[in-house]
Amino acid sequence: MAATVARRGRLGREGRASLCSFLLGASVAALPLLLGSSPSLLSAPGLRGRLALALHVAGVNAALLLIYPRPLYKIAVRACFLGFAFGCGLLLSAGRSAWRHFGWYMCSLSLFHYSEYLVTAINNPRSLSLDSFLLNHSFEYNLAALSSWVEFTLEKLFFPELKQITWLSTVGLLMVIFGDCLRKAAMLTAGSNFNHIVQNEKSDTHTLVTSGVYGWFRHPSYVGWFYWSIGTQVLLCNPICVVGYALASWRFFRERIEEEEITLIHFFGEEYLEYKRKVPSGLPFIKGVKLEL
């Protein structure tokens, strides 16, 4: 939600643990250097590379168990998993196989989820939890991700040329970068009152933000997520999921914005209505709640 910009504090122990663990997991990208092999470690034939990956995972997990007590280990293992996915995405991206663009996708997806946690740790440590990774966002979200992986794999098998349109994947990557950057800018601008859950009670620190990216759109974090999600499917050259993601995301954000704006009008009254009249929602054909005082 739009809120006042609070003074940033230092990264707490949860944030530090997550950052160290993410980097530790991402260190899998250095395996080709250690093994003296090509970057295409994941797609190369043979067991040597896969055995190295398995040993890396086991070794890193053992290290996390030794370093962190159980509450921090739960954070560390999730951050490490995302870092490992990011590192594997780098390895796929560096190779020349047909999975190269999927590597771009893995980097984008893992970095999105990890940065959600890290920015929350910086902005609003009081609301920080394991849910801040958004790994358990919803059943529908997980189903959508699974559907995109299935579509990519099947089309790669039966229509391999469809997955080699580099210019289209590049457009998708640019959409992903733009969307994620816009969302994180919105989170940082909103400061300590940004929350992944719509707030129904107004706190003393809640004030309406209309500057920065909130001067462009009323809901920049949703705009960023909308174009990020569609961009991931353009990146994968998934025609079915491009349409499915666009429709599902549009419907979700239409309902979410209406729900949130009812709360914002309750919080700020005429101040928000005036802001609503001047600044668009940012999402196509979504005007927000139709409610006047």
Side-chain angles (χ1 to χ4, degrees), residues 54-94:
L55 290 174
H56 180 275
V57 170
V60 167
N61 186 59
L64 295 179
L65 283 168
L66 290 173
I67 295 172
Y68 297 115
R70 183 166 180 79
L72 284 180
Y73 172 75
K74 291 181 179 180
I75 297 169
V77 74
R78 287 165 173 78
C80 184
F81 165 74
L82 292 171
F84 180 77
F86 181 81
C88 288
L90 289 178
L91 291 176
L92 285 175
S93 301

Side-chain angles (χ1 to χ4, degrees), residues 89-111:
L90 289 178
L91 291 176
L92 285 175
S93 301
R96 295 294 181 181
S97 74
W99 292 91
R100 183 185 181 194
H101 296 156
F102 195 83
W104 296 2
Y105 167 81
M106 288 179 64
C107 290
S108 303
L109 184 66
S110 56
L111 191 60

Side-chain angles (χ1 to χ4, degrees), residues 8-166:
R8 274 55 166 176
R10 293 183 177 179
L11 195 61
R13 64 172 188 165
E14 292 87 356
R16 292 194 300 270
S18 74
L19 183 57
C20 291
S21 301
F22 180 85
L23 294 175
L24 193 60
S27 67
V28 69
L31 281 182
L33 294 176
L34 298 176
L35 298 175
S37 61
S38 67
S40 56
L41 184 68
L42 292 176
S43 57
L47 297 176
R48 185 166 177 257
R50 289 162 181 75
L51 179 60
L53 291 176
L55 290 174
H56 180 275
V57 170
V60 167
N61 186 59
L64 295 179
L65 283 168
L66 290 173
I67 295 172
Y68 297 115
R70 183 166 180 79
L72 284 180
Y73 172 75
K74 291 181 179 180
I75 297 169
V77 74
R78 287 165 173 78
C80 184
F81 165 74
L82 292 171
F84 180 77
F86 181 81
C88 288
L90 289 178
L91 291 176
L92 285 175
S93 301
R96 295 294 181 181
S97 74
W99 292 91
R100 183 185 181 194
H101 296 156
F102 195 83
W104 296 2
Y105 167 81
M106 288 179 64
C107 290
S108 303
L109 184 66
S110 56
L111 191 60
F112 171 83
H113 282 281
Y114 175 65
S115 59
E116 289 288 309
Y117 184 90
L118 184 64
V119 173
T120 303
I122 296 171
N123 262 357
N124 192 8
R126 290 184 179 181
S127 72
L128 192 65
S129 70
L130 294 178
D131 291 340
S132 300
F133 286 108
L134 297 185
L135 292 173
N136 58 340
H137 180 271
S138 65
F139 171 77
E140 292 79 8
Y141 180 84
N142 295 334
L143 181 62
L146 180 61
S147 299
S148 72
W149 305 340
V150 170
E151 180 182 353
F152 181 88
T153 303
L154 291 177
E155 290 174 353
K156 178 180 174 296
L157 290 174
F158 296 104
F159 311 102
E161 66 281 355
L162 181 62
K163 302 304 176 185
Q164 301 301 312
I165 310 175
T166 300

